[in-house]
Amino acid sequence: MSLLSEKRVILATAFLEGLACLVIEIAGARALAPYFGASLAVWTAQITATLLFLAIGYGLGGVLSRSKGDWKLPTVFWAAGIWLAIFPLLRGPLLASSVAGFGVAFGSFVSSAVLFGLPLVCLGAVSPFLIARLDAAVLGAGSAAGSIFFVNTLGGLLGGWLTALVLIPMMPLRLAMAACGILLVLVGTFWSLRLRRSRFSAVAAPLAALMFLPLAPSPARSLGSNAHLLVSLQSHTGLIQIIDVARGGRMLMNDGIVQGGMDKETGISLLQFTDYQNFMAQRYHPKAQSALVLGLGTGMLAKGLDARGIKVTVVELDPNMEGLARDWFGLPSSVRVLNQDARAWLNKEDSHFDLIFLDAFVGEVSPWYLATREGIARMKDHLNPGGRVVINSVTRAKTGSEGLARLEAVLVEVFGEARVSGEHWEPKGQLVNATLVAGKDLKPTDEAYKGKTLERNLSKLPLLVAEERAALPGRFGTDDFSDLDYVESRLRSEWRKQVVDDLGPDFLAN
């Protein structure tokens, strides 16, 4: 075995180890999202768990690298690979119990530790083992470490882009994780053969075959007598699912949270919060002719506005959402959809509209940077004279929430005046949607509502909406500082736990 050949093999191994670490970190956060969401707390938990267990692996590897024996390198790859390969069997039951028992921040950390701690410790140990081999074969310790970490980091860069642009959008997470596990087992088997550890290689072959077993389960199409799964796909923004529910309804879910729904017989919105936004827009701007909708979802809001004769443009981040909205929810071709980030689009475009709707959600989280003073000011810049901004949010019936208070505050700060309405007839403290409207000289019209609502008397719709003038209740978010995710964490944790309890862990796992 030449020194040059040994060096190349070692550096190639370091590259693959770095790639695997980033696959685990990024795909792991996506695996947590249907149960805990994709908030800053969840990403922080995943990143800190990754760093913690890699650090443990570095220390353990450094100690073991001083001992003799060629068993170490194949063993850590096999252990990491086998654990990742059984990820599809562990994920659902573990995450469902964690979200119920620990909440979002600690629950996501515990789940990440159990699901990914062992493989990360094993992968962390790889670098010291490789440095020791490279130092003994070719270079001094400093040069060996520098070469290993350089190539390892390049592998991580590729792993990050590969996970975000290929693995997550194009295959189920269970396949991506299991495939990563199989790759690691194969690397371990390669090293076992290279080091002439024939006994270990003989064991690894049947283990690698058994690892394909977790790949067999596919998403359950039936959810009992009340629902049927039509679409389930991983996308840039989360796990997207479309289900048909009892009594002729169809729902779109992102990471387990309902984003909108339609009555299949009439094509009308199944959910009241869509009606509220449309209704409040007409109530405060009955002569509106153009609208910008930030966040597409099912497209039911855009569809309802279009039916009232309003020219609608939608800005939607997820490239899959337009096709789903048109194919499954009847979004008309007259609605223009732009596949871009909403804030980026607002920053660079100069188009103007009579109405701007903020209805962007990833699961239960609305992007904080759209609700800052600067983000709302950019929306104001895109309004025609007399224009209105309409925001869909979630709060607690009758008591409100800190997140809603911050939205009210920023609207008053930017526009000087705002109104908030919601399902105030619900029991106190229950999670409900609220609709906020902001603009200059907010005077409601008594004009009859022109939209279509499902099984609701149009003449009574205004009576169901308890409107209040938004006060300035203190702090609001800016681009420099926003604590919206933090103050809403408990509310959103309750929301997500309710979803897990209603649908069960297996549905969200697929």
Side-chain angles (χ1 to χ4, degrees), residues 373-390:
R373 177 176 57 193
E374 294 85 351
I376 298 297
R378 291 301 297 143
M379 296 179 204
K380 182 181 180 182
D381 292 341
H382 286 270
L383 287 175
N384 290 322
R388 311 296 191 218
V389 166
V390 182

Side-chain angles (χ1 to χ4, degrees), residues 352-412:
H352 290 76
F353 305 87
D354 295 327
L355 300 167
I356 295 179
F357 294 84
L358 175 54
D359 192 23
F361 283 85
V362 178
E364 79 280 26
V365 178
S366 184
W368 66 270
Y369 55 85
L370 290 173
T372 63
R373 177 176 57 193
E374 294 85 351
I376 298 297
R378 291 301 297 143
M379 296 179 204
K380 182 181 180 182
D381 292 341
H382 286 270
L383 287 175
N384 290 322
R388 311 296 191 218
V389 166
V390 182
I391 299 178
N392 176 37
S393 185
V394 178
T395 187
R396 300 184 189 278
K398 299 181 181 177
T399 62
S401 63
E402 290 189 65
L404 181 65
R406 278 156 173 71
L407 285 176
E408 294 177 27
V410 73
L411 291 176
V412 172

Side-chain angles (χ1 to χ4, degrees), residues 434-457:
T435 303
L436 299 97
V437 181
K440 185 178 180 180
D441 193 22
L442 292 175
K443 295 180 180 178
T445 179
D446 294 328
E447 186 177 313
Y449 180 49
K450 298 176 182 178
K452 296 180 180 179
T453 60
L454 182 65
E455 297 180 359
R456 289 188 283 276
N457 186 329

Side-chain angles (χ1 to χ4, degrees), residues 27-208:
R30 291 300 295 267
L32 301 177
Y35 299 85
F36 298 100
S39 67
L40 181 62
V42 177
W43 271 104
T44 300
Q46 177 67 5
I47 292 170
T48 52
T50 300
L51 294 175
L52 171 63
F53 288 103
L54 283 176
I56 293 173
Y58 297 148
L60 182 63
V63 172
L64 293 177
S65 65
R66 294 195 291 268
S67 63
K68 295 182 179 180
D70 292 330
W71 58 271
K72 300 185 292 292
L73 198 55
T75 300
V76 291
F77 275 111
W78 284 337
I82 291 170
W83 190 260
L84 283 181
I86 63 174
F87 161 84
L89 304 179
L90 300 174
R91 178 191 177 194
L94 172 68
L95 296 183
S97 61
S98 295
V99 73
F102 299 111
V104 172
F106 189 58
S108 54
F109 179 82
V110 169
S111 297
S112 181
V114 175
L115 286 175
F116 311 118
L118 176 61
L120 287 170
V121 168
C122 291
L123 291 174
V126 168
S127 291
F129 295 161
L130 294 179
I131 290 171
R133 291 192 66 85
L134 189 57
D135 181 47
V138 183
L139 304 169
S143 297
S147 298
I148 293 294
F149 288 130
F150 173 74
V151 174
N152 177 275
T153 302
L154 291 182
L157 292 176
L158 177 61
W161 286 108
L162 178 69
T163 306
L165 301 180
V166 178
L167 297 182
I168 287 176
M170 297 185 180
M171 67 173 62
L173 279 173
R174 60 190 176 86
L175 296 183
M177 283 295 191
C180 183
I182 292 172
L183 171 66
L184 294 176
V185 166
L186 293 176
V187 173
T189 303
F190 168 82
W191 272 101
S192 180
L193 293 171
R194 186 176 180 85
L195 299 172
R196 296 180 176 85
R197 308 296 294 187
S198 57
R199 289 177 298 173
F200 291 113
S201 300
V203 173
L207 282 176

